Amino acid sequence: MADFETPELKEIPIIPHVKDGSMAHSKPYVAKAEFQEPLGYPGELVDNWEQVAVDKLGELKGKYRSLQVFLDSCVKCGACTDKCHYYLGTSDPKNMPVARQDLLRKVYRRYYTFAGKYFPKLVGAEDMTKEVLDDWYSYFHQCSQCRRCSVFCPYGIDTAEISMAAREIMDAVGMGQKYCNEIIAKVFKIGNNLGLPEPALADTLEGLEEEVEEDIGVPVKFPLDVKGADILLVTPSADFFAEPHVDGLIGYAKVFHEAGASWTLSSYASEAANFGMFIGSYENMRRISRRIRKAAQELGVKRIIFGECGHAWRVAYAFLNTYAGPWDFLDPNYPVPQHICEYTYDLIQEGKLKFDKSENDHMTLTYHDSCNVARATRMGDKPGGQFTIPREIIKATCNNYYDMPADTIGEATFCCGGGGGLLTDDLMELRVKGAMPRMQAYKTVVDDHGVTNLAAICAICKTQFAKVFPYYGYGMTDIVSVHQLVGEAIILSDAPSDDDDDDNDDE
Ligand code: SF4
Ligand code: SF4
């Protein structure tokens, strides 16, 4: 384990006293030229970076009216100060959402407001200096763009959007973040975040087919690049092998099998994740989204379904139609995009899936609303579907379920601490400390109801919890995929019956 103190979990959450600069040392690795240039950014800090940064800020505030409104409208009411998990976990006052916004706001005021130009000290305006840039690099990489603060802001100011703009500016001056930019470059070159080429992917899926058939005696398929399939499944590449993600993929495949669906994965668009959002780059987000369009057209599918990935669903829900539409070549009877939870839920409602809930009786579950799904998307055709649908699926497949405290779930959910492009080992201290509010809420249901496992529908949350659980005294495998629960409990109509087993025993 890394060398820092894990926050103590308290019975009643306490707003911490501020510790100035306690996380100033936390910074992700800076991207080298090889990861900057494929995304269209300079390879290193450009000579006139101060001017480039100020110009880029001007360009962004002109393009995105919301950014200027957010920068102009804060009244310093303080309602957001104790709402960020990174402030609650680190005590660093610059992790208060309003203070984080001010890091950009002070530069905006200096160059783009009358008062800031002529009376900078009066309005807290500051020049764009290297010290400011370093502060940006540190603290805009301590925001997971989860939008929790915006729920509590009376003006709805979205710090996530300000963080995205700051990261876009840093990329433009040649100071991007290695983790995100390296991953985006891999998607452009190979098709997924993991750099898994087509033969390796085909091999992995073939191995999964053999494993599942050996396990349950049913030839559940994991099709790849099947032209003319009805459904294109776009899923995070972690689903192909990481635990517990792959158990979720097995769950989707069993649902498709039982529904008799014709489906396929694509080796070209073998990634649902879209890190373009994390770096605030709408252009890179668009380039990644267009890969899904190309795959859908080439395969001739009729509909597109997204696997369990929080930010991928946010990008798909908010931007897929704008960036990669029109989807007039798909079947108009289905929404574009559609979430795998919507698909499974509809089948449950239609009585087309049967479950043996006792298969999950060794677990008592709770559910973590992933921040991107909770506050930036919907599911189904009713408001709040993103909260009810995953829970209805869990309750259909498990006997033992308890929610965490109401002020930590639903729209008020806490981020796992690893979202927004921060899921990298160079930010481990931040990730562990930022997970504290979620861990505190989890502890209450562990203590009160004997909860043993946390279910989620986000690849980042799953990886993050597997990593941070041990810091808080829980097991790495206590995090599970929602479709893992589905896959365990589903009764497949063509599964060999116990009688078949008895017959075989007689032979
Ligand atoms: S968007 Fe989330 S991580 Fe960022 S400041 Fe707001 S609460 Fe904190
Ligand atoms: S809640 Fe909104 S208006 Fe109040 S300080 Fe925070 S960002 Fe500013």
Side-chain angles (χ1 to χ4, degrees):
M1 289 204 191
D3 185 21
F4 53 82
E5 212 174 308
T6 303
E8 194 188 334
L9 300 184
K10 310 258 171 57
E11 233 165 80
I12 300 165
I14 293 167
I15 300 166
H17 289 299
V18 297
K19 285 191 205 149
D20 268 325
S22 59
M23 287 301 281
H25 61 278
S26 176
K27 294 179 200 307
Y29 294 133
V30 176
K32 293 198 177 118
E34 64 188 293
F35 306 129
Q36 284 281 104
E37 284 161 0
L39 278 61
Y41 301 127
E44 57 184 32
L45 198 60
V46 294
D47 289 340
N48 59 338
W49 65 268
E50 295 93 335
Q51 193 55 49
V52 175
V54 170
D55 290 348
K56 189 74 188 175
L57 174 56
E59 178 198 320
L60 295 182
K61 79 171 182 60
K63 256 204 264 185
Y64 312 123
R65 294 291 296 161
S66 54
L67 179 64
Q68 178 155 4
V69 170
F70 293 155
L71 291 172
D72 279 334
S73 56
C74 174
V75 295
K76 302 287 190 287
C77 72
C80 63
T81 51
D82 60 346
K83 301 304 183 294
C84 177
H85 51 292
Y86 290 120
Y87 171 62
L88 295 174
T90 68
S91 312
D92 191 317
K94 284 186 182 160
N95 278 330
M96 291 177 177
V98 57
R100 198 187 313 287
Q101 297 163 22
D102 276 354
L103 295 174
L104 189 78
R105 188 175 283 122
K106 64 187 180 186
V107 176
Y108 161 74
R109 285 197 171 144
R110 178 75 182 97
Y111 297 94
Y112 293 105
T113 66
F114 178 82
K117 272 181 196 162
Y118 297 102
F119 314 102
K121 287 216 168 68
L122 273 183
V123 293
E126 271 185 43
D127 287 349
M128 185 75 222
T129 61
K130 186 66 173 54
E131 207 185 350
V132 169
L133 183 67
D134 288 344
D135 241 11
W136 281 17
Y137 195 74
S138 182
Y139 290 101
F140 284 120
H141 289 113
Q142 297 189 44
C143 170
S144 56
Q145 305 168 349
C146 77
R147 305 181 95 190
R148 187 169 198 267
C149 47
S150 72
V151 171
F152 296 90
C153 172
Y155 295 91
I157 294 173
D158 186 359
T159 318
E161 218 170 293
I162 295 175
S163 286
M164 286 161 72
R167 292 191 195 176
E168 167 83 328
I169 296 168
M170 290 188 281
D171 268 324
V173 300
M175 199 164 158
Q177 181 218 27
K178 175 178 181 274
Y179 170 65
C180 284
N181 292 4
E182 182 179 7
I183 279 180
I184 294 172
K186 260 190 236 167
V187 172
F188 291 148
K189 200 166 166 198
I190 299 167
N192 54 62
N193 287 6
L194 298 172
L196 200 65
E198 190 276 334
L201 179 56
D203 207 43
T204 303
L205 296 173
E206 215 175 285
L208 270 180
E209 283 183 2
E210 284 166 18
E211 201 181 295
V212 172
E213 186 160 5
E214 207 170 290
D215 185 27
I216 60 169
V218 179
V220 173
K221 296 292 170 208
F222 293 79
L224 181 66
D225 294 332
V226 177
K227 287 206 171 179
D230 287 345
I231 298 167
L232 169 62
L233 176 75
V234 184
T235 207
S237 53
D239 278 1
F240 299 131
F241 67 89
E243 292 285 352
H245 315 61
V246 67
D247 300 306
L249 176 64
I250 293 171
Y252 320 150
K254 286 182 180 175
V255 169
F256 287 137
H257 179 88
E258 184 60 13
S262 138
W263 71 287
T264 187
L265 290 153
S266 154
S267 59
Y268 177 73
S270 49
E271 182 61 71
N274 192 328
F275 278 30
M277 190 183 77
F278 296 157
I279 63 167
S281 167
Y282 291 93
E283 174 52 23
N284 281 294
M285 226 190 305
R286 187 187 70 82
R287 279 176 73 191
I288 297 170
S289 300
R290 302 281 306 175
R291 296 178 69 87
I292 298 171
R293 179 184 181 84
K294 189 167 174 225
Q297 278 179 321
E298 283 179 6
L299 292 168
V301 296
K302 297 189 181 128
R303 56 199 285 205
I304 299 174
I305 293 181
F306 276 74
E308 295 183 4
C309 181
H311 86 278
W313 182 238
R314 174 173 174 176
V315 175
Y317 186 85
F319 300 110
L320 196 69
N321 282 287
T322 321
Y323 284 152
W327 295 97
D328 44 5
F329 59 93
L330 297 179
D331 186 334
N333 290 311
Y334 302 104
V336 185
Q338 196 175 25
H339 196 280
I340 186 70
C341 282
E342 293 174 286
Y343 181 79
T344 299
Y345 177 72
D346 287 349
L347 290 170
I348 295 172
Q349 296 303 299
E350 291 161 18
K352 291 184 178 158
L353 300 181
K354 300 271 177 292
F355 299 103
D356 175 2
K357 294 186 185 191
S358 70
E359 289 290 339
N360 288 318
D361 272 356
H362 56 291
M363 290 183 270
T364 300
L365 287 134
T366 191
Y367 176 67
H368 164 72
D369 290 285
S370 304
C371 57
N372 280 307
V373 175
R375 284 187 286 267
T377 76
R378 275 192 181 179
M379 269 184 212
D381 53 8
K382 292 192 188 74
Q386 73 272 35
F387 308 127
T388 53
I389 288 177
R391 283 177 173 79
E392 289 301 316
I393 295 174
I394 297 172
K395 288 176 190 167
T397 57
C398 304
N399 284 313
N400 313 311
Y401 178 81
Y402 297 92
D403 261 325
M404 287 181 275
D407 55 350
T408 72
I409 59 172
E411 200 184 23
T413 191
F414 279 110
C415 165
C416 64
L422 309 179
L423 194 76
T424 166
D425 283 356
D426 34 320
L427 294 175
M428 208 56 223
E429 179 182 359
L430 178 78
R431 288 169 55 189
V432 170
K433 292 182 173 175
M436 187 274 280
R438 171 47 77 227
M439 291 294 96
Q440 211 151 248
Y442 182 63
K443 185 175 184 298
T444 61
V445 280
V446 170
D447 293 349
D448 296 351
H449 302 292
V451 163
T452 58
N453 292 85
L454 178 64
I457 55 167
C458 171
I460 285 176
C461 297
K462 292 172 199 172
T463 303
Q464 160 75 349
F465 287 129
K467 195 90 180 204
V468 303
F469 262 153
Y471 285 87
Y472 290 95
Y474 300 112
M476 282 183 82
T477 53
D478 294 352
I479 173 74
V480 295
S481 300
V482 166
H483 272 79
Q484 172 179 349
L485 305 171
V486 172
E488 290 297 327
I490 196 167
I491 299 170
L492 298 181
S493 321
D494 54 349
S497 67
D498 290 343
D499 294 346
D500 295 339
D501 286 348
D502 293 345
D503 291 348
N504 288 340
D505 290 346
D506 294 343
E507 280 167 14

